[in-house]
Amino acid sequence: MEIIRNIKVLQNSLKTERMRGRAIGFVPTMGALHDGHMSLIRTARLENDILIASIFLNPIQFGPSEDFEKYPKDMDGDISKLRGADVDMAFLPDASAMYPEGFSTAVDVRGLSEKLCGGLRPGHFTGVATVIAKLFNIVGPERAYFGQKDYQQGLIIKKLVRDLNMDINVVLCPTRREPDGLAMSSRNLRLGADERKAAAALYMSLSFALEKIKSGILNVREVKGLIKGILSHEPLITDIEYASVYDAESLDELDEITGRAVLAAAVRIGDVRLIDNIPVEGLQNPAKKG
Ligand code: AMP
């Protein structure tokens, strides 16, 4: 595995690979790699000739009071995981190379970026869309892999690619979970033992709500009450930022579940913010029920 920090060096090697007709797969990450990241890498490895993974803790997607400084880091462990997964090139740029003095462009996927997490983390998705647009321009992948764990981010990146006519196939991969259901996340490392136990309530609340939806409860106020009932029962969950059922494409909160939807929630446990979601699909004629 080549470790590349320099943008021009990466662009030049990939130009050569592209001229040879090789399909390039790309997995962008912020590091502290866990099996969620590795599942994307495994899928990408199977579907491409050349596999690039990036590790870049993107400063511009963190607000001033967020956990940029405290975000878990494990560069040596990450590099050996990437090596073990047969990645061809690890791209590890510095913030000063990505955002040199005078950098002044922002990519804003308006509408979707202001909803859910975007409403609570102003500027977050502009930071995400900007770095992903840069990484896509640097790597020029045929396919890029993202996790459904970050559902809103996936929608925004798909929209970015469509709106800017990027010739990239965005592949969304299923959420990998711990045995108690908690979605794997680098931020889980910031939880103390009791907090880690409490965090299981997040997935539990959403999967309980999914069962209720499947059994015919399609009124969102009712479903929301069930989710919040479980979350608020857990004293270590200090804040429920949002928890409800949203349209799967627009992310508008629904009144009634009548088609493709997503159950999504964001909570705080101490100063750790956790998100999760479950798609609601394949309901039998939901509009005719209840
Ligand atoms: P991050 O390093 O948190 O920016 O994540 C890098 C990529 O891994 C993103 O596309 C995430 O959606 C994805 N990812 C993070 N956690 C998981 C998970 N538990 N299962 C699947 N994909 C994940």
Side-chain angles (χ1 to χ4, degrees):
M1 182 177 82
E2 267 183 276
I3 295 178
I4 301 178
R5 295 175 198 279
N6 184 287
I7 295 174
K8 261 277 144 304
V9 169
L10 181 70
Q11 281 177 316
N12 287 336
S13 356
L14 291 176
K15 210 179 280 172
T16 314
E17 298 296 349
R18 225 171 280 116
M19 274 177 353
R20 290 182 181 146
R22 304 249 165 94
I24 296 168
F26 178 43
V27 181
T29 82
M30 297 205 296
L33 301 181
H34 50 69
D35 201 55
H37 298 113
M38 299 316 290
S39 69
L40 270 49
I41 287 173
R42 285 191 293 270
T43 306
R45 179 68 287 175
L46 293 173
E47 298 179 350
N48 299 277
D49 301 315
I50 299 291
L51 175 55
I52 321 297
S54 63
I55 299 177
F56 179 60
L57 189 56
N58 178 33
I60 68 165
Q61 71 185 66
F62 289 80
S65 60
E66 294 184 355
D67 59 351
F68 177 67
E69 296 298 340
K70 293 185 199 156
Y71 197 87
K73 295 172 195 64
D74 178 18
M75 197 48 94
D76 292 344
D78 289 351
I79 289 173
S80 76
K81 283 180 189 154
L82 295 182
R83 223 178 237 126
D86 200 20
V87 169
D88 296 298
M89 298 177 195
F91 179 45
L92 317 174
D94 284 338
S96 62
M98 290 293 277
Y99 304 114
E101 223 179 289
F103 180 89
S104 66
T105 298
V107 180
D108 210 354
V109 180
R110 289 193 292 253
L112 274 178
S113 294
E114 285 89 56
K115 296 173 182 172
L116 302 185
C117 290
L120 294 138
R121 303 182 69 186
H124 168 66
F125 286 116
T126 304
V128 171
T130 303
V131 79
I132 293 298
K134 281 176 68 73
L135 290 167
F136 281 180
N137 279 332
I138 293 168
V139 176
E142 196 159 315
R143 298 180 196 87
Y145 296 79
F146 295 86
Q148 274 167 6
K149 148 94 185 351
D150 299 284
Y151 186 87
Q152 184 173 11
Q153 172 174 282
L155 285 182
I156 288 172
I157 290 166
K158 283 191 164 217
K159 185 103 197 327
L160 161 80
V161 162
R162 198 161 61 238
D163 285 355
L164 298 186
N165 306 98
M166 293 175 166
D167 192 11
I168 298 171
N169 188 356
V170 175
V171 183
L172 297 183
C173 303
T175 303
R176 300 281 298 176
R177 300 184 177 280
E178 302 289 355
D180 65 356
L182 177 66
M184 292 181 179
S185 164
S186 306
R187 287 194 169 95
N188 295 350
L189 293 169
R190 300 191 52 226
L191 298 168
D194 290 346
E195 293 174 328
R196 168 64 192 79
K197 267 189 215 148
L202 179 53
Y203 178 66
M204 206 191 300
S205 69
L206 298 180
S207 44
F208 178 71
L210 181 64
E211 287 314 311
K212 293 294 173 192
I213 292 169
K214 284 182 179 163
S215 73
I217 299 183
L218 301 172
N219 178 279
V220 171
R221 201 166 36 83
E222 239 179 291
V223 176
K224 193 167 165 172
L226 295 170
I227 303 172
K228 291 202 169 177
I230 294 179
L231 293 175
S232 50
H233 204 70
E234 177 46 73
L236 290 181
I237 294 182
T238 41
D239 192 17
I240 304 169
E241 291 193 344
Y242 62 81
S244 192
V245 191
Y246 305 89
D247 179 272
E249 293 299 323
S250 70
L251 294 184
D252 288 332
E253 188 172 6
L254 298 171
D255 293 324
E256 198 74 15
I257 303 163
T258 56
R260 282 188 60 233
V262 61
L263 278 155
V267 300
R268 280 185 182 277
I269 298 185
D271 74 336
V272 182
R273 184 172 185 278
L274 298 176
I275 58 172
D276 202 351
N277 69 83
I278 309 183
V280 182
E281 41 203 17
L283 296 181
Q284 302 283 312
N285 295 326
K288 290 187 189 144
K289 279 198 171 178

